[in-house]
Amino acid sequence: MQLEHLVVVMPAYNEAEGLPEFLSEISEHLAPLAPRLDLVVVDDRSTDATRQVLHDLAADLPGLVPVDADVNRGHGPTAIAAYRSGLGLEPDLILHVDGDGQFHGADLVRTVRAAVSTGADVVHGVRRGRQDPWFRRALTAGVGLVVAAAAGRRVPDVNTPLRVYRPEAIAELLDAIPDDALVPHVHFSIAEARRGYQVRYVEVASLPRRGSSATGTMWGVERSPKLPPKRLRRFAVASAAELWRVSLRPGARR
Ligand SMILES: Nc1nc2c(ncn2[C@@H]2O[C@H](COP(=O)(O)OP(=O)(O)O)[C@@H](O)[C@H]2O)c(=O)[nH]1
Ligand SMILES: [Mg+2]
């Protein structure tokens, strides 16, 4: 496959500090891969300077497309909005990565290269060296088991935010979930297996978040709390209900 147009899509929430470095690293690394590169960053109505930072950066960074959300909707719906904006640009490939900068630009290159060389429907970046507290690891392991049962095979790092999709593949996946889904990537991982998509896995390093803002994290402010923060407990319960409704129950949309 000849890659002419690559689009990066990114949800961002309170990432003012880390975004300039992360976006320029992405741009530097990915620009050589395609004659046209666009970076669509959806600001989920951050409470810090993210929006301003993005609009300022757009003046110097060719291909940066800031998208301003009207209301704060959370990570899942913002990722979905980012995918949809990216698809609107009609790319050959679409790469999703979170705005918290937990990857090396060079690893993004490896995932895109894998998509180009194999022609796969999707390439997942499988995170190695994650430094999560025990309850997040437990949650990830639990979700992994449920997804393995639903998908009929083990899917490494089911919720990884680093993915490269063929546009036709991600368009189909998006149409099968609600636009306000909390855990779109988990639904996608199940649907990819059920639909027999060609999935490739590339191991990538997991870095600490860039920028020092603790408000960007989904799990409260403490770095290593002893017990699951309330926010995570609520999110886990709501996500489990959504998983059942959208992807697991008999007759769920496939
Ligand atoms: N759009 C949006 N993103 C959020 C919100 N709260 C947290 N996030 C983002 O969710 C992403 C994942 O959170 P993180 O704690 O890094 O999870 P991990 O990467 O799986 O360890 C990060 O990019 C956060 O910035 C929010 O209210 N809206
Ligand atoms: Mg993260």
Side-chain angles (χ1 to χ4, degrees), residues 91-109:
D92 303 321
L93 283 178
I94 193 157
L95 180 149
H96 176 284
V97 65
D98 277 346
D100 55 0
Q102 293 192 278
F103 299 98
H104 289 299
D107 279 341
L108 270 52
V109 172

Side-chain angles (χ1 to χ4, degrees), residues 12-13 15 44 72 74-75 78 98-100 102 127 130 132 136 209 216-219 231:
Y13 180 68
E15 305 290 1
D44 187 26
N72 175 263
H75 178 265
T78 309
D98 277 346
D100 55 0
Q102 293 192 278
R127 294 169 289 181
R130 289 180 76 186
D132 286 336
R136 284 215 53 190
R209 298 165 45 77
T217 182
M218 295 184 60
W219 322 116
R231 238 185 122 192

Side-chain angles (χ1 to χ4, degrees), residues 102-190:
Q102 293 192 278
F103 299 98
H104 289 299
D107 279 341
L108 270 52
V109 172
R110 291 172 54 239
T111 56
V112 174
R113 282 199 199 286
V116 172
S117 68
T118 63
D121 295 307
V122 55
V123 175
H124 289 211
V126 176
R127 294 169 289 181
R128 295 295 177 220
R130 289 180 76 186
Q131 306 253 317
D132 286 336
W134 68 268
F135 49 85
R136 284 215 53 190
R137 269 179 284 153
L139 193 63
T140 304
V143 174
L145 286 177
V146 172
V147 171
R153 63 173 157 87
R154 215 181 70 78
V155 178
D157 203 0
V158 288
N159 198 28
T160 179
L162 174 54
R163 290 154 185 249
V164 182
Y165 282 101
R166 282 198 317 108
E168 297 79 10
I170 186 64
E172 268 188 18
L173 294 175
L174 285 168
D175 285 343
I177 60 166
D179 275 345
D180 61 353
L182 294 171
V183 284
H185 287 131
V186 180
H187 299 302
F188 294 166
S189 292
I190 295 173

